[in-house]
Amino acid sequence: MSTQSLEKEFAKIAGQENVLTQEADLHAYSYDSAVLDQVRPGIVVRPADSESLGKVVRLCNEHGLKLTVRGAGTNLSGGTVPHPGGVVCLTTALDKILEINQDDLYAVVQPGVITAKFAAQVASKGLLYPPDPGSQAVSTLGGNVAENAGGLRALKYGVTKDYVMGIDFFDVSGNLVRTGARTVKCVTGYNLTGLMVASEGTLGVFEKIILKLVPPPKAIKSMMAEFDNVQAASETVSSIIAAKIVPATLEFMDNFTIKTVENFRGAGLNTEAAALLLIEVDGHPAQVEDDAAQIVDICNAHGAVKVRQAENEQERAAVWQARRDALPALARVRPTTVLEDATVPRSKIPAMMKALERIADEFKLTIGTFGHAGDGNLHPTILTDKRDVQEWERVHKAIDAIFDEALALGGTLSGEHGIGLAKAKYMHLEHGTAAIEYSRKLKEVMDPGNILNPGKILGTLLS
Ligand SMILES: Cc1cc2nc3c(=O)[nH]c(=O)nc-3n(C[C@H](O)[C@H](O)[C@H](O)COP(=O)(O)OP(=O)(O)OC[C@H]3O[C@@H](n4cnc5c(N)ncnc54)[C@H](O)[C@@H]3O)c2cc1C
């Protein structure tokens, strides 16, 4: 079918105003938040209701058109870089919160709902939706589920998969498949809901998501510990966990990140500190007091130069603003920012920090490291300029070295950013070839024409 006829077909489904073919639009949807080459789609379509979404999927399958679903495009692994000349399907118009059930503690949402708007709606009903990715002001719940996004609270509360009770999705033929339930327990059949989480748009297109809600904690205490030695800070993380305390949040910043954040906002951080730990405990007030006191003792035992406790909401907000500033501040230093999420067992954080320093030296690169130290999820952030060909080659080598090291320490390629295009080539190193073959067979059965986000997760062999 010619491009013009296809455009007409999509317009019949979604309305002419929701079919985009102008050069500027195709350019706008040719990349995402990963640093990868741009790939222009052939057409962009924005269904306004779920029926149209299903029809778009069916039409793509009938014509063998490669389909990439896109929420906010904030993923950091190339998950929404389209197939050349393929279709980009935007979920931004599917943005309704269909139900917030306060009796049974769940919500039903469309995939294009913005994460922070949802969390705020839930909070206004006196409940909590814990997953809080740093991108929550713009990311969508569909994108969060498809990437299994994590966030600052993941240490205690888990990641998105821990809150997904069910997903209704369109299979490749456009049939609506209902999975999961609104009940706390549901063990009927294969765990199709689980299969869809982290599937990065390769197995089905989410139409509706059922999410678990929890009561919010009664008390919260935040603190900031300064260290003059990176190893002491990383060993403190291991010791807090070993003491069987589970903070809601336990974040790390190295000296380079501290200085850059301080230059960015002037929040009063100690730029002499080699590392900072930002820690928050929550729960019953008595437990919070007890945990906080133990954490202060552990920090001091590891030689913390200073431990500051937030005395009020304003001071607490300042602690977390400093952490939220880490990526935007680093991103201003050089033209290109490569944010990785190599993750290691928590006890291996000191070893990983040493390795990152060695890798930065070896490849003569600037690497600022911050991240979710409590769950072993570090974000080594390489500050570079993609236009410098020689430096860019060294960046690639450094990324290989970072993942080699993380895997050698018993870690994983991704704590939260997914695999997408960026890390597909490393998958066999973590999971072995049998797991890749099994996944490919699954993909072949569910999507025989390989139209759903081809090349993502499993590499290019199927594309
Ligand atoms: C500044 C910044 C901070 C970030 N912080 C975090 C963080 O703290 N934790 C974290 O985990 N991530 C973080 N990220 C990464 C990113 O925000 C997450 O991966 C997020 O979940 C992506 O949501 P999105 O709506 O942008 O999805 P997109 O990027 O649009 O899509 C992501 C994937 O989901 C698929 N998809 C989208 N909608 C559907 C659907 N309806 N059905 C099937 N598949 C679908 C897409 O095809 C793609 O493969 C950050 C990114 C940035 C830029």
Side-chain angles (χ1 to χ4, degrees):
M1 197 187 270
S2 71
T3 314
Q4 275 176 343
S5 323
L6 266 177
E7 195 181 328
K8 273 192 193 144
E9 289 298 313
F10 280 119
K12 264 193 242 163
I13 294 172
Q16 187 62 53
E17 69 284 9
N18 289 316
V19 180
L20 312 175
T21 52
Q22 298 289 313
E23 191 53 38
D25 296 315
L26 301 182
H27 179 76
Y29 296 108
S30 65
Y31 63 97
D32 55 30
S33 304
V35 186
L36 293 170
D37 292 339
Q38 290 177 230
V39 179
R40 259 178 32 136
I43 198 161
V44 179
V45 55
R46 185 170 178 262
D49 54 46
S50 31
E51 197 189 338
S52 316
L53 180 66
K55 286 182 178 169
V56 166
V57 180
R58 182 174 296 139
L59 187 72
C60 287
N61 194 40
E62 278 169 5
H63 295 280
L65 302 171
K66 309 293 186 192
L67 169 67
T68 298
V69 198
R70 181 181 173 110
T74 66
N75 77 88
L76 290 158
S77 46
T80 47
V81 173
H83 197 269
V87 178
V88 168
C89 175
L90 305 178
T91 62
T92 43
L94 300 162
D95 62 350
K96 292 187 186 54
I97 298 172
L98 302 170
E99 182 183 359
I100 295 182
N101 192 308
Q102 293 168 265
D103 295 328
D104 290 321
L105 302 190
Y106 70 80
V108 184
V109 298
Q110 289 189 315
V113 171
I114 304 288
T115 315
K117 278 193 186 162
F118 174 64
Q121 278 291 312
V122 166
S124 74
K125 311 267 182 209
L127 290 168
L128 174 70
Y129 174 67
D132 56 346
S135 52
Q136 62 181 333
V138 285
S139 74
T140 66
L141 291 167
N144 293 173
V145 173
E147 294 286 351
N148 193 9
L152 297 193
R153 283 192 283 243
L155 172 56
K156 177 171 176 181
Y157 288 95
V159 295
T160 302
K161 76 169 180 210
D162 300 306
Y163 296 87
V164 183
M165 297 166 73
I167 299 173
D168 291 359
F169 67 90
F170 288 110
D171 72 9
V172 74
S173 308
N175 301 313
L176 190 61
V177 182
R178 292 183 204 287
T179 78
R182 286 163 170 74
T183 52
V184 173
K185 292 156 82 182
C186 164
V187 295
T188 45
Y190 293 134
N191 183 1
L192 296 181
T193 308
L195 182 62
M196 284 298 131
V197 175
S199 62
E200 302 187 19
T202 62
L203 297 177
V205 177
F206 310 155
E207 182 259 354
K208 205 181 282 164
I209 304 162
I210 308 170
L211 293 168
K212 181 163 80 177
L213 307 175
V214 297
K218 289 199 167 64
I220 299 178
K221 207 168 187 86
S222 307
M223 58 199 102
M224 188 188 284
E226 297 169 9
F227 293 83
D228 57 11
N229 174 321
V230 172
Q231 289 300 304
S234 8
E235 280 157 19
T236 303
V237 173
S238 309
S239 296
I240 291 172
I241 305 296
K244 302 186 176 57
I245 303 168
V246 185
T249 308
L250 175 39
E251 299 286 310
F252 172 92
M253 267 193 215
D254 70 358
N255 175 264
F256 186 81
T257 311
I258 298 166
K259 281 188 184 147
T260 314
V261 167
E262 191 52 27
N263 271 343
F264 182 62
R265 198 182 290 270
L269 302 183
N270 175 4
T271 53
E272 299 295 311
L276 281 184
L277 292 181
L278 310 175
I279 310 166
E280 187 160 283
V281 282
D282 71 6
H284 186 279
Q287 178 82 49
V288 166
E289 285 302 321
D290 199 44
D291 285 350
Q294 275 198 65
I295 288 172
V296 173
D297 287 347
I298 293 170
C299 291
N300 288 332
H302 282 278
V305 179
K306 196 173 189 184
V307 185
R308 281 192 267 167
Q309 301 203 36
E311 296 302 337
N312 51 44
E313 190 48 43
Q314 202 184 351
E315 287 181 19
R316 176 175 172 246
V319 168
W320 296 113
Q321 189 58 51
R323 168 59 182 85
R324 277 194 292 272
D325 282 345
L327 181 55
L330 287 172
R332 284 159 44 119
V333 177
R334 300 280 312 272
T336 313
T337 311
V338 181
L339 175 66
E340 286 304 349
D341 77 329
T343 302
V344 293
R346 293 175 281 218
S347 60
K348 298 288 192 296
I349 287 180
M352 191 66 197
M353 285 306 302
K354 267 196 189 136
L356 289 171
E357 277 175 28
R358 177 178 47 74
I359 291 167
D361 276 355
E362 185 180 339
F363 295 100
K364 298 184 186 54
L365 293 169
T366 306
I367 305 184
T369 299
F370 64 97
H372 318 297
D375 42 51
N377 186 183
L378 294 173
H379 289 315
T381 304
I382 306 176
L383 308 178
T384 178
D385 184 346
K386 207 181 163 193
R387 295 164 299 185
D388 179 335
V389 177
Q390 284 173 353
E391 185 168 300
W392 191 236
E393 266 174 31
R394 295 204 304 278
V395 169
H396 280 289
K397 287 187 185 146
I399 295 172
D400 291 349
I402 289 172
F403 288 118
D404 279 349
E405 191 65 38
L407 293 179
L409 290 170
T412 174
L413 297 170
S414 173
E416 55 181 18
H417 294 167
I419 297 300
L421 291 176
K423 287 185 249 176
K425 65 175 175 180
Y426 304 118
M427 277 288 276
H428 66 284
L429 299 176
E430 178 173 347
H431 294 288
T433 46
I436 309 294
E437 280 313 313
Y438 191 89
S439 306
R440 285 196 172 139
K441 282 183 199 153
L442 192 71
K443 166 84 169 152
E444 272 165 8
V445 171
M446 292 178 80
D447 177 17
N450 191 28
I451 68 146
L452 295 175
N453 219 6
K456 313 298 154 55
I457 306 177
L458 299 174
T460 49
L461 289 185
L462 270 177
S463 309

